[in-house]
Amino acid sequence: MREIVQKTPHDERLLVFGLAIFMCVFLGPFDTDVDLDVWQRLAFWTVAVTIVGIVIEHCMIAILYSRWCARFHIAIKLLIGAMIGAVPGTSFMIAINTMFRPEHLENLNFPLLWMNVTVMALLIAGLDCLVTLQFRRGAPVEEEQPTPEINPEPELANISLPRLFTRLPDRLREGQIISMSMQDHYVEITTTQGSEMLLMRLSDAIDLLDGMPGAQTHRSHWAASTHSKELSKAGRRHELTLSDGRTLPVSNSFKPTVNDMLKAKEQA
């Protein structure tokens, strides 16, 4: 979802915008097919999709970036973002209904309307993901850009970052990678400057680190040596504490590797 908001070309987003309006005009949800004619529905849903969509999109992105929700599955994050954004979104739907069909508000049920707005937001988010993935399948593979310099100072001009940094937005390239975690088909890369979701496999992301010191703690998690603090046991499970206070699960098969990484860090 982050990639869709930040990196999706304008033609893709315009297509999603147009499809969402078309579907609302054609299907006429919330009884708009009964109360409004085609042109009234076009005006109604153009305004509604634009305003409500912007509000809910920003709420979804805020939840995706939130450290408090870092452990949640991406689908849960999108649901939480849609539920929160649907509160002001529902209020706006009431306001726009006041303009177009005030009689519809006589039997208003705010919780039911809020739930319907939440479902519509999730459907449009799913449409956004589907359109973006279809565009990417047919898009030519971009040539890899030159590796950016880690520091503009002359004495460090020849030091370069791993290739993975070329996939990150500019705002994260000055930070250090703390960890990487797999979520569905995305890898969430957490840095000292923030986090980003990239559509790739964890094994490919590790390969693009070009030997950066670190260890895989689990089949879905990797931690940088610099930001790994200690290995501890929580009940029957082991976990690795990171410099930002988060913990990653450590499976039995990767525990020796994690121990070796921590010992090497102490001896360095």
Side-chain angles (χ1 to χ4, degrees):
M1 184 68 182
R2 289 181 215 181
E3 285 189 336
I4 290 170
V5 172
Q6 296 174 346
K7 301 179 180 179
T8 301
H10 295 301
D11 53 355
E12 295 179 35
R13 301 195 71 189
L14 286 174
L15 176 58
V16 173
F17 176 77
L19 286 174
I21 293 176
F22 173 79
M23 291 173 62
C24 289
V25 172
F26 179 76
L27 298 176
F30 303 147
D31 295 328
T32 53
D33 59 332
V34 177
D35 301 334
L36 306 173
D37 60 33
V38 174
W39 297 111
Q40 289 175 328
R41 291 202 301 272
L42 180 61
F44 181 96
W45 286 113
T46 298
V47 175
V49 170
T50 301
I51 303 301
V52 178
I54 290 174
V55 172
I56 294 181
E57 180 181 77
H58 279 77
C59 288
M60 285 181 169
I61 297 306
I63 295 299
L64 285 171
Y65 274 108
S66 173
R67 290 184 179 274
W68 297 329
C69 301
R71 294 187 178 184
F72 293 162
H73 189 278
I74 187 171
I76 301 299
K77 294 181 182 180
L78 292 178
L79 176 60
I80 294 173
M83 292 173 66
I84 294 174
V87 175
T90 301
S91 300
F92 180 80
M93 290 297 293
I94 294 174
I96 194 174
N97 272 287
T98 303
M99 298 172 55
F100 281 85
R101 45 178 193 160
E103 68 282 354
H104 189 74
L105 301 177
E106 293 179 359
N107 299 317
L108 175 67
N109 185 324
F110 190 96
L112 179 60
L113 182 58
W114 167 80
M115 184 176 66
N116 290 333
V117 172
T118 300
V119 171
M120 285 192 64
L122 291 173
L123 290 175
I124 294 176
L127 177 65
D128 207 351
C129 292
L130 179 62
V131 170
T132 300
L133 291 176
Q134 289 298 323
F135 265 74
R136 287 178 178 173
R137 285 177 184 175
V141 178
E142 297 181 359
E143 294 183 2
E144 189 130 330
Q145 299 297 320
T147 305
E149 295 178 351
I150 193 172
N151 195 312
E153 297 179 6
E155 62 271 18
L156 297 179
N158 293 324
I159 301 177
S160 60
L161 294 173
R163 287 172 295 160
L164 185 60
F165 276 78
T166 64
R167 309 289 183 92
L168 298 177
D170 293 340
R171 62 184 176 81
L172 300 183
R173 294 186 183 182
E174 294 182 0
Q176 298 178 356
I177 293 179
I178 300 175
S179 66
M180 301 190 299
S181 297
M182 200 71 191
Q183 296 191 31
D184 285 342
H185 301 295
Y186 289 82
V187 175
E188 181 175 25
I189 301 173
T190 303
T191 76
T192 53
Q193 300 295 321
S195 59
E196 179 72 5
M197 302 284 283
L198 297 181
L199 185 61
M200 63 169 56
R201 296 177 302 179
L202 180 60
S203 58
D204 293 335
I206 294 174
D207 180 62
L208 291 174
L209 288 174
D210 295 329
M212 175 185 291
Q216 194 167 349
T217 68
H218 184 275
R219 66 179 182 177
S220 301
H221 302 279
W222 180 92
S225 174
T226 305
H227 295 277
S228 298
K229 295 301 182 182
E230 62 177 353
L231 181 64
S232 58
K233 192 172 184 180
R236 299 174 60 183
R237 302 174 56 189
H238 289 85
E239 58 186 21
L240 177 66
T241 302
L242 304 176
S243 60
D244 60 359
R246 293 181 299 117
T247 59
L248 294 181
V250 178
S251 61
N252 291 331
S253 57
F254 288 103
K255 183 182 174 184
T257 304
V258 174
N259 274 323
D260 292 341
M261 176 187 68
L262 294 175
K263 289 179 180 178
K265 180 181 177 182
E266 291 177 358
Q267 296 173 359

